[in-house]
Amino acid sequence: MLVKTYIILPLVISAFERDAAIMSAQLRTPAPYVEVLRKAGNTAAADLRDVRAEMRSRGLKVYEQNRLDSGVEAKFLCRGYHERMLLLYDVITVQAAIHMRSYLGLDISEYKSHEEQYRLNSGRQASTFRPEIAHKRQGLTSPPKHK
């Protein structure tokens, strides 16, 4: 999940920056809209810093990213093992949209958490970098309890 988030968050941040530039040029009173987008981009950037710190603490390092016709390929090192992840553009688009809605303060409760989505039954919480924020984003009031 950390590597996936590490790939998606920079795309979300650049989308907010691009949209803010477009709104600045096209709207008569862009200031309130641009302020919302900049605030969302700053929050995403702070989360990206947290993800990077968590990756360092867990021994994860993304050493190569390639854009392919089908998606983004990331090669990473996890505790001495070389791994590869391919995120298809369809997945990136949906995940980025969920992240963007969350950063803009919109309701994302209709979207499944990654535990529901992948039917994970581990004893760990949904997010490894900032659980309290991840649970708020998922519309939960407290961390999930596992049996």
Side-chain angles (χ1 to χ4, degrees), residues 16 19-20 23 32-42 104:
F16 282 139
D19 293 349
M23 285 187 169
Y33 304 104
V34 171
E35 183 178 333
V36 169
L37 290 176
R38 289 213 172 106
K39 182 178 177 186
N42 290 341
L104 292 170

Side-chain angles (χ1 to χ4, degrees), residues 6-144:
Y6 178 83
I7 293 169
I8 293 173
L9 282 182
L11 301 173
V12 169
I13 293 166
S14 66
F16 282 139
E17 290 170 352
R18 181 194 62 237
D19 293 349
I22 291 170
M23 285 187 169
S24 292
Q26 299 295 322
L27 299 177
R28 282 189 158 172
T29 54
Y33 304 104
V34 171
E35 183 178 333
V36 169
L37 290 176
R38 289 213 172 106
K39 182 178 177 186
N42 290 341
T43 304
D47 283 351
L48 183 57
R49 282 190 299 274
D50 292 344
V51 167
R52 288 179 177 148
E54 186 66 27
M55 288 177 66
R56 275 191 302 276
S57 73
R58 292 176 180 252
L60 284 166
K61 179 178 174 116
V62 175
Y63 60 87
E64 185 178 337
Q65 286 189 50
N66 298 312
R67 288 188 182 224
L68 308 173
D69 291 336
S70 59
V72 176
E73 176 189 43
K75 294 180 182 178
F76 61 99
L77 192 64
C78 180
R79 298 183 192 113
Y81 293 96
H82 293 273
E83 301 288 338
R84 178 183 169 266
M85 176 185 286
L86 176 64
L87 288 177
L88 300 175
Y89 285 124
D90 293 341
V91 173
I92 291 171
T93 302
V94 170
Q95 290 294 313
I98 292 170
H99 279 283
M100 290 176 81
R101 283 182 175 91
S102 173
Y103 289 123
L104 292 170
L106 301 174
D107 181 26
I108 60 167
S109 62
E110 68 186 57
Y111 300 101
K112 294 182 180 181
S113 71
H114 78 272
E115 283 136 340
E116 293 170 330
Q117 190 176 8
Y118 299 110
R119 299 191 197 312
L120 297 177
N121 290 321
S122 68
R124 295 184 356 193
Q125 295 176 345
S127 174
T128 55
F129 59 99
R130 288 176 70 179
E132 67 280 2
I133 291 176
H135 294 295
K136 286 180 187 174
R137 287 184 193 141
Q138 294 171 2
L140 303 174
T141 56
S142 63

